Amino acid sequence: MINYKHLNYFVSIVRWGGVSRAAEQLHLTPQTLSGQIAQFEERLGVTLFQRVGRRLELTETGKLALSYAEEIFQTGAELEDLLKNGAEERFITFRVGIADVVPKFIAHRLLAPVLELPEAVRLICQEDRLDRLLAELAIHRLDMVLADRPMPPGTQIKGYSHPLGESGVAFMAAPALAERLTGGFPDCLDGAPLLLPGGDSALHGALPRWLERQGQRVRIVGEFEDSALMKVFGEAGAGVFPAPAASVPDVTAHYKVVKLGETEEIRERFFLISAERRLTHPAARAVSENARTGVFAPIPRTV
């Protein structure tokens, strides 16, 4: 059995940035705390810390242990809260990783039904690069990941990519910038300042290639890992920026920008990545169903 007092000492050293400060918070001497950690490492047969200069740094094993320890203590806190507040306060925790490049309006529309489930759900969202989110998914610190691409080929992490849907791409600009751009779409993009999603985005290379095929000169003035920050710069007139066609009404209303045009030749795709082949979590199933029947549902054609 894990000695949870030792596990708490281990987490405290990381949290407080060293043995001395952790010992002070725990009301122990530094020598006692160091001895307890040494016993913990000896019992497990691993090295959790390594000394780099005058600092202690986590080993790779220590980093793995920390991720599990944090989850253990978080689960313990949830159990304590449940026992104190009674069973009627019980809820399902749903932890979602959202890749930085996924547009916030799309993420919101996909996740909104989770909070309307009959079961009480506490939604916890975490934004980061896709590779780091997949690492969190692998150790079950996330229930699912929203991304604009499937799991990369050759990934050593076990996971399954569930297609949610796709959308054409619209080009948006602040009204003042739009007035200065001449010609119809896509000619108005020739030489226009372009804001581009960062290298993690599937659009990072697809957009410039499409513009070049249209005979338009590409002038990239900024790249952004965070899709919301890119739109803020676009709203300020820094450049033209892309958005999923499915989110145009939200983007125009929130950022006070206009649509220059859109293309179906570039498709922005979205995926739910989970550790299970078949979705069993009720919240994950709600996201998948909402994508199919709502967010990316085909628009009926009028006769």
Side-chain angles (χ1 to χ4, degrees):
M1 292 286 291
I2 288 284
N3 186 319
Y4 289 98
K5 180 179 289 187
H6 285 165
L7 193 64
N8 181 48
Y9 290 162
F10 164 63
V11 172
S12 296
I13 291 173
V14 178
R15 180 181 299 137
W16 294 103
V19 171
S20 297
R21 291 187 63 191
E24 183 181 343
Q25 296 296 322
L26 295 168
H27 305 292
L28 299 171
T29 65
Q31 294 80 5
T32 298
L33 183 55
S34 294
Q36 293 291 304
I37 291 298
Q39 288 181 28
F40 190 38
E41 291 179 318
E42 182 178 358
R43 185 175 181 280
L44 296 174
V46 299
T47 301
L48 299 172
F49 293 101
Q50 60 186 355
R51 187 165 291 281
V52 179
R54 299 180 62 183
R55 295 180 295 107
L56 281 180
E57 290 189 359
L58 287 170
T59 62
E60 290 303 314
T61 302
K63 292 176 183 177
L64 180 63
L66 179 63
S67 68
Y68 276 91
E70 288 177 336
E71 185 171 359
I72 287 169
F73 288 123
Q74 181 175 354
T75 302
E78 291 175 2
L79 174 61
E80 182 180 7
D81 183 62
L82 171 64
L83 296 176
K84 284 182 177 179
N85 294 318
E88 66 275 6
E89 297 295 329
R90 186 174 300 173
F91 55 83
I92 299 172
T93 300
F94 186 49
R95 297 181 176 88
V96 180
I98 305 173
D100 289 331
V101 296
V102 172
K104 305 302 181 283
F105 287 117
I106 292 293
H108 169 256
R109 290 179 62 191
L110 287 169
L111 293 171
V114 170
L115 300 180
E116 298 174 4
L117 290 171
E119 306 93 336
V121 177
R122 176 176 294 177
L123 176 63
I124 300 175
C125 295
Q126 175 182 334
E127 286 188 87
D128 209 332
R129 289 167 49 99
L130 179 58
D131 56 347
R132 289 197 282 259
L133 294 176
L134 292 178
E136 295 284 282
L137 181 70
I139 58 174
H140 305 291
R141 295 190 65 189
L142 293 173
D143 295 303
M144 60 168 260
V145 172
L146 288 179
D148 71 337
R149 60 177 66 196
M151 288 191 63
T155 302
Q156 299 301 311
I157 295 168
K158 182 180 178 181
Y160 301 93
S161 301
H162 306 269
L164 292 176
E166 57 185 57
S167 170
V169 174
F171 290 80
M172 317 296 293
L177 174 59
E179 289 179 4
R180 298 199 303 269
L181 303 178
T182 59
F185 180 82
D187 293 340
C188 61
L189 300 176
D190 187 45
L194 179 66
L195 306 179
L196 200 63
D200 258 8
S201 170
L203 292 181
H204 181 78
L207 279 177
R209 288 195 297 269
W210 181 80
L211 287 169
E212 289 174 358
R213 289 198 303 270
Q214 307 309 308
Q216 313 303 327
R217 292 169 297 162
V218 179
R219 186 161 72 89
I220 300 169
V221 297
E223 298 184 16
F224 301 84
E225 295 296 339
D226 188 302
S227 64
L229 183 59
M230 179 181 68
K231 292 178 177 64
V232 170
F233 271 78
E235 181 183 27
V240 177
F241 65 90
S247 69
V248 165
D250 293 320
V251 173
T252 54
H254 186 82
Y255 291 100
K256 305 300 186 294
V257 293
V258 297
K259 184 177 80 170
L260 301 174
E262 67 179 73
T263 178
E264 293 293 322
E265 294 181 27
I266 311 173
R267 304 292 290 174
E268 193 163 9
R269 305 162 67 204
F270 299 94
F271 294 85
L272 185 166
I273 302 175
S274 71
E276 53 190 9
R277 186 185 301 275
R278 180 174 175 271
L279 298 178
T280 58
H281 197 298
R285 291 202 304 267
V287 171
S288 179
E289 178 65 15
N290 179 45
R292 185 179 64 83
T293 62
V295 179
F296 301 112
I299 300 174
R301 294 184 178 181
T302 57
V303 178

